[in-house]
Amino acid sequence: MCPLTFNQCSSSLNTNGISTLSSSSENPSAISPSRGSAIKCTTPNVGASFPRRAWRLTGSQYINSVKSAFASVQSVTNPFRVEAVTGAFRNNSDGLNIGLQLTADLIAENEKIGAAAVSGLVTAYPCLASTINLTCSNSVVSSVVSSLFRRPITATELSTYSQFLMSEASLYGNTDGISAFVQASLLSPNFLFRYEIGDRLTGILDPYEKAALISFSAADSAPDAELMDAAKNGALKTTAQIKSHFIRLAKKSNRYETLIDFLQQYLHYSAITTKTKDPALFPNFNVNVAKALVAETDALVIDMMRSGTGTISELLSTDNVMVQPLTASIYAKNASSLPAGTMTKIKDSSRAGILTQPSFLASHGGTKNSSPVQIGKLIRTEILCGKLGRPPVDPPTLDAIPETSFPTQRERLTALHSKGTCYGCHRLMDPIGLGFENFDAVGAIRTTENGYPIDDSGEITYTNSALDGAFNGGAELGRRLASSEVVQSCIMKKSFQFIAGQVGDTGSDCFIEQVRKANNNTTDKADIVGVFADIFTEFLLAPRFGTLEN
């Protein structure tokens, strides 16, 4: 599927298997490959600052912010429909905007929210139950609008929204007036967008911009009262202050929603809920099973954070799995032996880490069979941070290879990709993905294909590290990836892109390596939330990223 020759594809990787830096904002001479380490930085990281930006809320941020502001609003629908994915993530600031259709959807959703918010506001502000005077209106507006705008409101904003609330209540009654006030507040750009403008001259973020960046990065929601107080009191200046709030918010609900969201987008393991499998081959597979598999992976990550080490190493190597009666057959377990209505954590030696979870394997598998190319491509590009050439417009497919002559998928892929222009890129992908052939299209263990014994041998090449070499099965590969600094640095780079909302070449490789070394983030020591916190704190305080360009 790659139009490049082997030499062209392999040269797009440096000797560590990660993409060669060529951005004009980075000094190439400052980077020299080093065996067993992803990047070696020999000079301080330099380059252009991040741009000033108005960053529209994502669907989840909109929903979480509304629910945190209005106690009586229990149900909120994402008004942004299908959100564009740039790179692996939906939160790229350049891709988040509002058009005419989104505006119509927002108005419709805000009408529902406005009606649902009234009872909670009347309970919180009893003065709203009678004639609304200026004192009452100012009290409500200063609290509600400040919470929605994530900063103290100006005198003009206070007067405008207060007069609007009183006017609407006088004309249409308190219920409709309060609802209209809520709708108007939610339609304001000050709510819908996260502003990172900074000081007019220096570009340095103000305390409330910092608070919003901390909260949305750590908890995918607006700042809570404790964080807003810290912003008000100038207590968001030091590494310790910023990192403590980040970790507090990331762990606040003990559900690790932001970490789960990152992993789902990064590894696409929730995609299985929108895919189908051949009912003749997998008669018990349906959307409920798919959702259960995703929930099991989420639960496994949460359990690691609560009771395990929560490290990148554990994420990639754990032999724990969460099983339910509905999914028991995929794990070769008897459903009757498992308690109903709950998940059971068991050991499964055939699996190691999130890349051998059925949700991941089924999401990247085909309708009838596994998909070594898709799995190999994801590991090469997203776990090793390698780059591959673009596939041709009309690539050859496996349908052209007869099963009668080539009964196993390994044989068909070899026949298809072992020569010609496809070989260059597929030599970097297929041998990795073929190591997962002991799993079928729904992520269950298999020992035969079309009556032939499964060959789950695989190989990683061209990383110039301890990763290189043959392996047998996804579990062995997971354990090898878990101990790799190349992998750790790549995952840190992806988490930086997720946190910063920038997926393009930000020239961040040296920055990431400096953070990793400064915080001693080896794969065996740092829990994932701690890694996020380290990256975020250094990002916010570093001159390169903490100061915005004009």
Side-chain angles (χ1 to χ4, degrees), residues 132 137 160-174 176-178 180:
I132 301 174
S137 184
T160 300
Y161 280 92
S162 187
Q163 291 296 327
F164 179 78
L165 172 57
M166 289 189 295
S167 174
E168 292 294 297
S170 175
L171 289 172
Y172 305 108
N174 283 20
D176 287 347
I178 296 168

Side-chain angles (χ1 to χ4, degrees), residues 33-54:
S34 173
R35 186 175 184 86
S37 178
I39 288 279
K40 182 179 180 181
C41 297
T42 57
T43 63
N45 195 32
V46 294
S49 300
F50 258 50
R52 301 172 191 251
R53 57 186 175 178

